[in-house]
Every structure is written in C-alpha cells, then in structure tokens.
C-alpha cells in the first residue's frame, strides 16, 4: 500500500467525529496507560509476596467480585444520574483504592482492598460505553468504537512494557503510578466532557410508555444470550492476565519477560485494529464471531506447548487476532440491541459478563494449576472456545432482520457536538442484524 493511500485511510478513520469523542478517547488512553494492578497482581502476589497460585487466584477473583457488584449498580447510575457523574465517582474512587492497595501488608487486607479496586474500576465502563453511543452518529460508530479500542490497547502496550520494568524494582511505584493516571483521567472528564444522557421523548412520557429496568434486560432472551457467550469468551481472554503470568513465572521467566510478551497483544491491536476493522465491517458477523471464538480458544491452548519466550509471544499473537475480530463485532451487536434510554442498564449487564469472568477465571486457573497442572488449564480454553463458537452460530441463526432490544426507543437522541455543548442528532433506524457492521 502506498504512503498516499495510508494517509488517506488514516484521515478517513478519524474524520467527522465530534470533539467530545476525542476527549473521551483521550481519557481512555490515559486510564489504560496506568493499567498495572490487573496486569501484574498475580506476579506481585506469587513472586514478590511469595503467596501460592491459589491465593493469587482468590485475590483476583475478589477483584472480579467487586466488578460483579458494581456492574449493575453503575449501569443504573448511568441511566439515572448521568454518564459524566458516574465516571467521575468511579475514577476518583479507583485512584484512592489503587493507591491504598500498594500499602496493604496483611493477606486479608490485600484481598479486601483488591475487591474494592475491582468494584470502583469496573464502575466507569457502562458510562463510557453509553456515552460513546450517545455522542457519535450511528453511521460513525464503527470507526468510533474501533478508535476507542485502539486507544485501550495503545495504552496497554505502553503500560505493559514500562510497568514490567517498574515491577522489577518497585511494585509500590506501579500502584501509585496507576492511581495518579486514573486521577488525571477524572480531571479530563471533569474539565472537558459534557453530559450526554438523552432526554426522554415528551410524547412517550405522556403516553406512559414502559420504563427500561433491569427486569427488561433480563427478559430480553436474545440479549442475555449475547451476555452468556460474552462470559465464555471473557473466561478465555482473562487467562492472559491470570493463568499466563503464573505459568510463565513457574517456568522461570521474570515480570519483565511477561510484560514484554503481553505487550505484543497491545502492539498488535494498535497496528492491526483499524485496518482489520475496515476489512471486516461489512462481513457476516456470525462467521466473524465463530472464527474469533475458535482462534481465542485454541490460541490460548497453544500455551501448553510453549517453551522459549518467542513461543509464548506467538500464542499471544494468535489470540490477539481473535480479540481484534471479536471485540468490535460483539460490541456492535450489544449497541444495536440496546434501547436508547436503557443503554446504561444494557451496558451494565454486558459488563457484568466480563466481571463474572474476572471472578471465575482466577479461581479456575489457580485450582487447575495447583491440582492438575497448567496443561489442563490451557486445554480447557480450547473446549470453551469450541462451545462459544457453536453458541454464536446458533444465536446468530435466530436473529431476524430488524430485531432490536425491548424497551422504548425514541426517534431522536442528543449527541454531544463539542466539549462544551450538545446538539440533537436523529437516531438512525436499526440496521438488519444479519448485516451488522463490526463496532469496537
């Protein structure tokens, strides 16, 4: 591809998005630059503190339990209080909890504060995802979600390499660094992001239309099927920060080695996410989800045969390709099935699938590694990937043209047009799910 075509492609990827989106994008990037706890907690507990893999799994599970508790609460807060207040409360609380975790000495205190960190750090996700859907026009959401996911992984790639080196000298510095960057993220939200929560349509309110509650989400069988499959995929991907570091540590690799290997994940997403998204956005989402589930499951399963450092890096490359395809495609499905005035609750339920996986995956990894060996853990990921692929195939076969989530869907939703003001932008009619574009 020529330099001119590359420049034109880059311009097309970023053009036409509102200013508020770019401030949200910047806050996401800053937040991910400080991703230390979730990445290095297992190594911190097993190598620095000398705890067993089971205890590390327990702490990581409590971190996930905190996310489970906060997912639905944050989703309701996002719809009732607004996107911006929810993000501010979550990010300021996260900064304090992460800093506190670095000073904990007693095992019980470490476990309790880790749960608090999981609760606060997960609380901003429904608000961020709902705000992004609010402020970006439907026809631009493919690029917007892809760019946001790109920012997440750019930050992750940088933080993995730098934090791995920091961890070899001082884990406390890593905790404090994450706290500082999370606080900076809250400052950006406070200064630059307007509230984007859509106002309810007056005619719909006068008619006494049904409210979108958690019960509405739970009764939406189609959407809950997506949540269940998301849980299986999350259970696989979570092993990148739970099972993989423990396995590499037991094989004699240092935190810096793990940081270098896992950084390949972020680097590949940064390099490939946008061109791959442009390639897949008009392709059959059912096939994309099936293929990505198989790549994820068997990519992780390859870890059982890894020996040298390059072999671990190769497995990361395989399941990273699955992540690049699965995440935008699945997010597109979630956004399409979420009613405008229930986005917070729907996103909260979707976030719950990842939070529950963060709870279950560490317990599973610790137990299997301690009692049966790492090979059995990686074999199980292949089984989960196969089950998820079959589930996606069956679920997508059942979707018909025009299928959407239950709940009121007003004709218009406001979208923030700048960092200081918002304008109303009509919500496009739902596209057929069978031709759903991938959204990151």
């Amino acid at each position: 591809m020529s330099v001119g075509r590359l420049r034109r492609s880059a311009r097309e990827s970023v053009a036409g998005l509102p200013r508020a989106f770019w401030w949200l994008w910047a806050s996401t990037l800053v937040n991910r630059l400080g991703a230390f706890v979730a990445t290095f907690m297992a190594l911190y507990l097993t190598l620095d503190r000398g705890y067993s893999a089971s205890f590390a799994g327990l702490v990581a599970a409590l971190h996930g339990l905190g996310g489970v508790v906060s997912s639905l609460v944050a989703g309701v807060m996002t719809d009732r209080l607004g996107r911006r207040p929810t993000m501010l409360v979550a990010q300021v609380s996260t900064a304090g909890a992460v800093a506190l975790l670095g000073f904990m000495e007693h095992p019980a205190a470490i476990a309790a504060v880790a749960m608090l960190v999981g609760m606060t750090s997960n609380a901003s996700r429904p608000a961020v995802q709902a705000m992004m859907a609010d402020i970006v026009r439907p026809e631009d959401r493919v690029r917007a979600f892809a760019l946001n996911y790109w920012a997440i992984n750019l930050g992750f790639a940088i933080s993995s390499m730098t934090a791995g080196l920091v961890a070899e000298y001082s884990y406390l510095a890593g905790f404090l660094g994450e706290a500082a960057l999370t606080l900076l993220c809250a400052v950006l939200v406070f200064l630059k992001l307007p509230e984007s929560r859509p106002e309810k349509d007056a005619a719909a309110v006068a008619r006494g239309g049904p409210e979108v509650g958690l019960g509405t989400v739970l009764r939406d069988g189609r959407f809950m099927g997506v949540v269940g499959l998301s849980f299986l995929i999350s259970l696989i991907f979570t092993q990148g920060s739970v099972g993989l570091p423990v396995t590499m540590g037991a094989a004699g690799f240092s935190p810096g080695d793990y940081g270098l290997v896992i950084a390949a994940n972020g680097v590949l997403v940064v390099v490939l996410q946008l061109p791959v998204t442009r390639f897949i956005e008009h392709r059959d989402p059912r096939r994309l989800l099936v293929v990505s589930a198989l790549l994820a499951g068997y990519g992780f399963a390859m870890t059982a045969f890894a020996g040298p450092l390059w072999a671990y890096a190769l497995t990361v490359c395989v399941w990273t390709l699955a992540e690049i395809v699965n995440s935008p495609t699945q997010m597109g499905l979630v956004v399409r099935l979420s009613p405008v005035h229930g986005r917070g609750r729907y996103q909260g339920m979707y976030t719950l699938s990842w939070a529950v996986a963060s709870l279950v995956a560490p317990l599973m990894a610790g137990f299997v590694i301690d009692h049966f060996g790492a090979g059995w853990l990686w074999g199980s990921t292949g089984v989960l990937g196969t089950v998820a692929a079959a589930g996606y195939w069956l679920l997508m076969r059942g979707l018909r043209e025009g299928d959407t989530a239950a709940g009121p869907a007003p004709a218009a939703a406001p979208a923030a047009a700048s960092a200081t003001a918002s304008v109303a932008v009509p919500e496009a009619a739902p596209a057929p799910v069978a031709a759903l574009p991938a959204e990151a």
Side-chain angles (χ1 to χ4, degrees):
M1 181 180 290
S2 66
V3 175
R5 291 184 63 185
L6 285 173
R7 290 177 177 175
R8 183 167 60 254
S9 178
R11 285 196 299 269
E12 290 173 354
S13 295
V14 301
L17 295 170
R19 185 183 305 174
F21 165 79
W22 290 110
W23 285 117
L24 185 60
W25 182 91
S27 70
T28 297
L29 176 61
V30 170
N31 184 271
R32 292 305 296 172
L33 284 171
F36 180 85
V37 172
T39 307
F40 288 92
M41 176 60 76
L43 287 174
Y44 168 65
L45 293 175
T46 55
L47 295 185
D48 188 69
R49 292 301 184 93
Y51 294 116
S52 67
S54 294
F55 180 75
L58 174 63
V59 172
L62 289 173
H63 182 275
L65 179 60
V68 171
V69 173
S70 68
S71 293
L72 299 180
V73 175
V76 174
M77 288 176 59
T78 297
D79 284 337
R80 289 188 176 181
L81 301 181
R83 284 62 160 139
R84 186 170 177 266
T86 303
M87 281 190 280
L88 286 173
V89 170
Q91 289 162 358
V92 172
S93 301
T94 299
V98 168
L100 181 62
L101 181 60
F103 292 98
M104 294 297 98
E105 297 287 343
H106 194 278
I110 292 174
V113 178
M115 180 175 175
L116 179 62
V117 171
M119 187 180 301
T120 56
S121 62
N122 202 59
S124 63
R125 292 182 182 179
V128 170
Q129 293 163 354
M131 177 176 279
M132 195 164 299
D134 295 338
I135 65 181
V136 176
R137 295 177 301 176
E139 60 268 28
D140 291 331
R141 286 179 187 154
V142 173
R143 293 184 296 118
F145 279 105
L147 285 165
N148 189 69
Y149 192 64
W150 187 81
I152 290 172
N153 285 277
L154 175 61
F156 178 72
I158 296 173
S159 69
S160 294
M161 291 183 286
T162 57
L165 297 175
V166 170
E168 294 188 0
Y169 295 96
S170 171
Y171 280 93
L172 177 60
F175 288 115
L176 295 180
E178 177 170 349
L181 287 171
T182 305
L183 195 58
L184 177 58
C185 181
V187 171
L188 282 176
V189 171
F190 179 75
L191 295 177
K192 297 297 183 179
L193 281 176
E195 177 55 57
S196 67
R197 181 179 56 173
E199 295 295 332
K200 291 188 177 181
D201 180 76
V205 174
R207 291 195 302 267
E211 292 288 334
V212 178
L214 289 177
T216 308
V217 185
L218 292 172
R219 289 190 297 271
D220 190 339
R222 182 168 49 249
F223 183 80
M224 292 305 297
V226 174
V227 171
L229 292 173
S230 172
F231 166 73
L232 294 182
I233 292 296
S234 306
L235 204 59
I236 298 172
F237 282 124
T238 304
Q239 298 306 329
S241 59
V242 178
L244 182 59
V246 172
T247 299
M248 291 185 66
F253 293 102
S254 70
D257 292 329
Y258 168 70
L260 186 62
V261 166
I262 200 64
N265 171 257
V267 170
L268 283 175
V269 173
V270 169
V271 173
L272 297 178
Q273 182 67 65
L274 295 183
V276 170
T277 298
R278 292 175 67 87
F279 177 74
I280 68 175
E281 61 183 350
H282 299 302
R283 299 183 183 275
D284 182 2
R286 179 174 62 178
R287 293 182 180 178
L288 294 174
L289 290 169
V290 169
V291 170
S292 64
L294 293 174
L295 278 176
Y298 291 101
F300 274 97
M302 289 170 57
T303 309
F305 306 100
L309 195 64
W310 65 264
Y312 285 100
L314 178 61
T315 67
V316 172
C317 292
V318 174
W319 56 258
T320 295
L321 182 59
E323 181 184 358
I324 289 172
V325 175
N326 182 273
S327 181
T329 307
Q330 187 163 252
M331 276 302 302
L333 188 60
V334 170
V335 172
R336 184 64 67 187
L337 295 178
S338 304
V340 172
H341 294 302
R343 279 177 180 153
R345 290 173 172 84
Y346 270 72
Q347 292 290 353
M349 186 64 70
Y350 174 68
T351 302
L352 181 66
S353 66
W354 285 86
V356 173
S358 297
L359 168 64
V360 174
L363 295 175
M364 179 181 78
F367 179 82
V368 172
I369 289 175
D370 283 346
H371 292 84
F372 302 101
W376 284 90
L377 173 66
W378 303 120
S380 69
T381 62
V383 175
L384 290 174
T386 303
V387 173
Y392 279 127
W393 182 262
L394 294 173
L395 175 69
M396 298 298 283
R397 285 182 63 188
L399 290 173
R400 300 182 304 275
E401 182 174 329
D403 281 343
T404 58
S418 68
T420 57
S422 60
V423 295
V425 177
E427 186 81 358
V433 176
L436 186 68
E439 298 182 34

